[in-house]
Amino acid sequence: MAIVLGPNRYGKAETRVVRVTRDGGTHRIKDLNVSVALSGAMDEVHLTGDNAAVLPTDTQKNTVYAFAGKHGIGTIEDFGLLLARHFVDSRQAVAHARVEIREYGWRRITGGHSFVRDGGEVRTALVHCGAGAESVVSGLTDLVVLNSTGSEFHGFARDEYTTLEPTDDRILATAVTAQWRHRSTAGAWDDSYAAARDGLLRAFAETHSLSLQQTLYQMGRRVLDERTEICEVRLSLPNKHHFLVDLEPFGMDNDNEVYLAADRPYGLIEGTVLTDDAPAAPAAFD
Ligand SMILES: O=c1[nH]c(=O)c2[nH]c(=O)[nH]c2[nH]1
């Protein structure tokens, strides 16, 4: 039996960069968390400790800051592509670059230079750049939504451990993590993002839900129906359970008014919705 080195990658994770753009007294803020991972001809460093092919992770971090200064930061998709292509094009040993970016939004309060952090929601991008193959996946995480009616759950399988009561009126709440794959690496990223997010929200609100699984499919479908530049949507939806509180001990009815918001455990509903002509890109979400 021989022991061999398997797949590997390395890079600087979670470089936090804030870029201020000044237009007179009016400022714009870009606040990112950038993770770079490179792979390629890296056998020697693992097998013998020869670092000749290793561009230090410290350099990768510096490159993020230098590019933010030199090129500014437009969309995270374009910034990711810029960085990924730079590492692949400038280093012979680097065959593949993965750049993952999270963007924290800031909204103007008043005047030109005061901002308030947008709620918990975070915009995301995942870019892969390798020999002749590039991919861009956009997304969001922690988009918290709730329907106070229009959600049922019944007709489910039962066994000797099932205690859940069927319901035809419950709260449906989740924190959406969504990622969507673009057909091309050239896009109007901001417009596409705003429209995909809006489609997810409208589908969540407008679907009379018989299960979170059904809602998931409708959300993915809506994005694909409305946005031809997108060919695959992956969703991860924690079911943020809201349980009706028994108020009988206090002599009161509870007609779907008072709930206990449980934080764990939670159901986790995950799925992929894609067009049947989606080009294969097995690594795009890695
Ligand atoms: O929408 C739901 N899907 C489930 O699979 C499930 N399971 C459960 O206990 N409650 C729910 N709700």
Side-chain angles (χ1 to χ4, degrees):
M1 181 195 70
I3 294 172
V4 295
L5 177 68
N8 59 84
R9 62 189 188 193
Y10 82 106
K12 191 67 96 188
E14 303 211 37
T15 296
R16 295 280 285 106
V17 54
V18 174
R19 172 68 151 96
V20 180
T21 307
R22 295 186 166 80
D23 178 9
T26 304
H27 297 182
R28 205 170 57 90
I29 297 278
K30 282 283 182 178
D31 181 355
L32 309 187
N33 181 329
V34 181
S35 294
V36 174
L38 307 180
S39 51
M42 299 292 160
D43 284 10
E44 283 306 314
V45 60
H46 292 92
L47 302 181
T48 70
D50 176 347
N51 292 327
V54 178
L55 185 71
T57 70
D58 189 64
T59 307
Q60 298 172 31
K61 175 252 308 170
N62 291 344
T63 308
V64 171
Y65 290 119
F67 276 27
K70 187 166 158 190
H71 304 287
I73 298 173
T75 62
I76 52 176
E77 288 84 355
D78 280 332
F79 194 59
L81 282 165
L82 188 71
L83 285 163
R85 286 172 180 159
H86 164 78
F87 290 120
V88 170
D89 293 347
S90 63
R91 311 293 319 166
Q92 223 196 331
V94 175
H96 192 106
R98 173 192 191 275
V99 179
E100 181 178 11
I101 304 180
R102 297 165 69 89
E103 176 173 4
Y104 310 112
W106 290 92
R107 236 171 328 129
R108 203 172 292 290
I109 301 174
T110 181
H113 59 261
S114 301
F115 300 85
V116 57
R117 245 303 268 279
D118 270 347
E121 175 187 345
V122 172
R123 177 170 166 177
T124 62
L126 177 58
V127 169
H128 281 277
C129 182
E134 292 186 333
S135 60
V136 176
V137 168
S138 300
L140 51 78
T141 189
D142 287 336
L143 177 65
V144 182
V145 289
L146 180 151
N147 285 327
S148 54
T149 189
S151 168
E152 312 181 23
F153 189 63
H154 45 75
F156 43 81
R158 312 191 73 98
D159 68 10
E160 65 269 43
Y161 303 113
T162 304
T163 58
L164 186 71
E165 291 292 333
T167 175
D168 60 7
D169 191 5
R170 65 174 182 174
I171 284 181
L172 186 67
T174 187
V176 179
T177 295
Q179 289 183 292
W180 48 92
R181 174 159 67 94
H182 297 271
R183 291 180 188 274
S184 157
T185 53
W189 306 118
D190 278 344
D191 289 349
S192 177
Y193 176 81
R197 177 184 183 279
D198 188 58
L200 290 170
L201 288 177
R202 278 184 286 108
F204 177 80
E206 292 166 8
T207 300
H208 183 98
S209 177
L210 299 177
S211 67
L212 190 49
Q213 288 88 330
Q214 183 204 18
T215 295
L216 178 150
Y217 181 70
Q218 290 301 323
M219 291 170 76
R221 229 200 122 126
R222 184 75 66 107
V223 173
L224 296 173
D225 271 343
E226 294 182 351
R227 305 303 305 181
T228 54
E229 76 275 21
I230 295 169
C231 60
E232 178 173 354
V233 182
R234 296 193 181 181
L235 288 154
S236 175
L237 303 179
N239 192 353
K240 296 169 84 70
H241 302 298
H242 287 67
F243 297 116
L244 264 187
V245 178
D246 179 8
L247 298 179
E248 258 180 33
F250 321 116
M252 287 180 272
D253 288 340
N254 188 357
D255 187 17
N256 275 1
E257 288 178 321
V258 180
Y259 294 86
L260 182 158
D263 74 336
R264 66 193 69 174
Y266 51 88
L268 185 58
I269 312 300
E270 300 187 293
T272 301
V273 188
L274 65 171
T275 62
D276 62 5
D277 70 341
F285 291 85
D286 280 358

